[in-house]
Amino acid sequence: MRRFLFCSVPLATRPGRRLTCRVSTWANTDAVRYEDKIGGRKSCTGTTNASSNLSPHHKNHGSRIGEVSKKVRLDASERKGELRELEERAPRMLEDRFGRFHNYLRISLTERCNLRCTYCMPEEGVQLTPEQRLLDAEEIQRITSLFVEEGVNRIRFTGGEPLLRKDLADIVKATSELRPKGLREIAMTTNGITLGRKVADLKDAGLDSVNVSLDTLDPFKFEILTRRRGMDKVLESVQKSLDFGIKTKVNAVIIRGVNDDDVHGFAALAQKQPLEVRFIEYMPFDGNRWDHSKLVPYMELVDRIREKYPNFTRVKHEDAPNAVSRLWHVEGWEGRIGFISSMTDHFCGTCNRIRITADGNLKSCLFGNEEVSLRDAMRNGATNQDLKQLIHQTLQLKKARHAGMFDIAKDTMRPMTTIGG
């Protein structure tokens, strides 16, 4: 049985040339041996003097081949296998040179914050980017759509404090419309001060998950750490988030001599609530006066919790793919406890995160200084294909791992509030 071969160029005017073609792949179909140049790679090769076998009608229109001098069998299974191999070898926009695929996008919506946490922002504050130079809602929607099309299935909105953005619910709702394209989760990191009165609207808009930053359970220390009051509002927000069925985590940055005596109290939050309490190692950022002596290592925290809860055990099988949090559990508890050990036991080898700052800069690594402006590219008329190429090139700058806490501490980096938590 013979089928017609349809080609993307007029065959009659280019006899004997190697062609980029699409071919019927039905079983037992005679097809032309050709060179397929998808992605610049060959899946099969060969030449044919196509014009010698064309009727005058076919020669004039260059659109169909009835019979050709060279025939080969190319059944459906062979063709599909070749295309699959070609697809696997083709570079993906969100893959770096170490083969890490980045399917987790974190977007900062604002540099402003209503707290002044000591590990995040210098006491004197930061120089904020003018509002007109921040990404607007339309630009955010364009970026999220482009990333989801290329394989991102998880998006987190950060800040600053994202709840200060008046159009936050609209942004979440627009992002939620990307679910048919493969988006699975919309998350947010917040300090929780105003979450309680906005959580219902955000849930309706499509918010799935929230991380609430809370570094102490002592109101006095809360005021010292944040330079503001409001711990009761944060705890209320955590409860309301749980009540609305939003997956909720509490993040605590532990600093030796400051809040490391809160560890047992934080752990107990997971006893009767489906919370994940996560302890984060103290990291160096510009203006936060980081000191190695203030760092409490992950395993030291584990030992402290075990002193009070001897059956505190690792639940490695519950770790999510590309997880940054190492999960532990006490039998009979509703929640879990996680540890983010960015400094003492990094997870760079499986990193799947890519960040965009509120002013539109793409950062391939939290601790790297390399940034490329997507905002400027968009405002200068870049097409989506231009943006994809720019994103892929930026990801190729990503290193195998960060430089280590001592070298990171020597660098001058943005304060965390201008990067996005």
Side-chain angles (χ1 to χ4, degrees):
M1 182 184 295
R2 292 189 176 89
R3 303 291 180 193
F4 287 114
L5 173 70
F6 296 87
C7 295
S8 59
V9 295
L11 295 178
T13 59
R14 300 188 182 186
R17 295 285 297 276
R18 285 181 173 169
L19 307 173
T20 299
C21 304
R22 58 185 176 88
V23 64
S24 168
T25 58
W26 300 348
N28 301 319
T29 298
D30 291 336
V32 176
R33 176 70 76 176
Y34 65 99
E35 181 173 291
D36 188 343
K37 292 184 178 178
I38 299 175
R41 293 181 172 84
K42 295 186 293 184
S43 64
C44 56
T45 60
T47 60
T48 177
N49 192 345
S51 64
S52 64
N53 291 289
L54 293 175
S55 68
H57 174 77
H58 292 146
K59 286 184 179 181
N60 290 336
H61 293 87
S63 61
R64 296 156 76 105
I65 299 176
E67 293 183 355
V68 292
S69 57
K70 274 192 175 181
K71 300 183 183 72
V72 295
R73 291 284 183 193
L74 187 61
D75 62 27
S77 60
E78 180 185 349
R79 178 63 176 151
K80 288 178 181 177
E82 288 172 342
L83 289 176
R84 191 180 302 115
E85 180 183 355
L86 202 63
E87 188 178 84
E88 290 172 355
R89 289 184 304 177
R92 296 182 289 178
M93 184 190 93
L94 298 177
E95 185 175 318
D96 68 15
R97 58 199 168 108
F98 301 101
R100 295 171 296 199
F101 186 75
H102 299 72
N103 63 349
Y104 182 11
L105 175 65
R106 300 171 68 99
I107 305 179
S108 177
L109 299 181
T110 180
E111 296 175 350
R112 294 184 297 125
C113 189
N114 46 4
L115 297 182
R116 294 291 182 272
C117 298
T118 57
Y119 57 81
C120 184
M121 187 183 292
E123 188 173 2
E124 64 276 11
V126 296
Q127 183 70 40
L128 296 176
T129 303
E131 198 75 20
Q132 65 271 20
R133 295 185 60 199
L134 301 180
L135 294 176
D136 61 32
E138 186 176 335
E139 290 167 331
I140 292 168
Q141 187 173 356
R142 182 181 177 188
I143 287 172
T144 53
S145 180
L146 187 150
F147 272 91
V148 170
E149 287 173 5
E150 293 299 321
V152 160
N153 56 28
R154 187 180 182 195
I155 293 176
R156 177 175 296 277
F157 295 116
T158 70
E161 174 47 52
L163 288 167
L164 295 181
R165 182 112 182 195
K166 294 179 180 179
D167 57 355
L168 175 60
D170 293 332
I171 291 172
V172 171
K173 185 176 181 179
T175 305
S176 189
E177 293 173 359
L178 297 173
R179 294 184 193 273
K181 295 183 178 181
L183 181 64
R184 296 178 186 172
E185 183 181 59
I186 301 173
M188 179 179 70
T189 297
T190 172
N191 60 35
I193 293 291
T194 63
L195 176 63
R197 65 174 185 260
K198 298 179 181 181
V199 66
D201 290 340
L202 291 171
K203 174 68 174 177
D204 289 343
L207 186 69
D208 301 301
S209 174
V210 65
N211 289 7
V212 179
S213 299
L214 176 64
D215 303 306
T216 182
L217 298 174
D218 181 321
F220 176 70
K221 280 197 288 187
F222 181 90
E223 191 170 343
I224 292 174
L225 282 165
T226 67
R227 306 184 181 107
R228 298 290 188 274
R229 296 178 181 177
M231 193 189 83
D232 55 335
K233 293 180 181 178
V234 180
L235 290 171
E236 179 184 332
S237 292
V238 170
Q239 188 58 55
K240 281 193 174 182
S241 180
L242 288 168
D243 292 343
F244 274 91
I246 294 176
K247 185 168 67 175
T248 307
K249 302 175 184 178
V250 172
N251 289 345
V253 176
I254 302 301
I255 305 173
R256 192 183 302 279
V258 178
N259 64 341
D260 53 329
D261 57 345
D262 279 309
V263 170
H264 289 156
F266 272 118
L269 291 177
Q271 187 169 0
K272 297 181 180 180
Q273 296 270 36
L275 274 174
E276 182 180 325
V277 177
R278 309 199 305 177
F279 297 112
I280 302 174
E281 290 182 342
Y282 186 33
M283 296 176 283
F285 290 100
D286 193 39
N288 74 350
R289 300 178 183 176
W290 185 85
D291 187 318
H292 173 249
S293 65
K294 297 178 182 178
L295 171 70
V296 184
Y298 150 51
M299 286 309 301
E300 181 180 330
L301 292 172
V302 169
D303 290 340
R304 290 196 194 187
I305 295 173
R306 270 185 172 155
E307 290 174 2
K308 186 167 184 178
Y309 306 103
N311 60 340
F312 186 53
T313 55
R314 180 81 163 93
V315 282
K316 193 176 281 190
H317 65 278
E318 293 188 18
D319 288 351
N322 307 101
V324 300
S325 178
R326 292 167 168 83
L327 295 177
W328 290 68
H329 181 66
V330 176
E331 188 176 351
W333 285 19
E334 285 195 44
R336 302 175 299 182
I337 297 172
F339 300 88
I340 300 179
S341 54
S342 305
M343 297 293 96
T344 63
D345 189 10
H346 70 81
F347 33 82
C348 301
T350 58
C351 181
N352 67 333
R353 299 178 171 200
I354 189 166
R355 296 170 184 267
I356 297 177
T357 61
D359 57 354
N361 281 3
L362 183 70
K363 283 181 70 74
S364 59
C365 177
L366 173 61
F367 300 109
N369 283 319
E370 298 85 6
E371 298 183 0
V372 175
S373 179
L374 297 183
R375 177 204 64 203
D376 289 350
M378 287 189 291
R379 294 181 184 182
N380 287 326
T383 65
N384 282 356
Q385 191 57 42
D386 293 334
L387 293 176
K388 290 178 181 180
Q389 185 175 359
L390 186 60
I391 292 164
H392 182 69
Q393 290 172 346
T394 304
L395 270 176
Q396 305 320 299
L397 301 175
K398 188 167 184 173
K399 298 177 174 61
R401 55 158 294 173
H402 65 59
M405 56 185 167
F406 295 108
D407 287 333
I408 292 172
K410 294 176 185 175
D411 284 341
T412 300
M413 300 199 317
R414 290 187 186 222
M416 192 62 177
T417 189
T418 66
I419 295 174

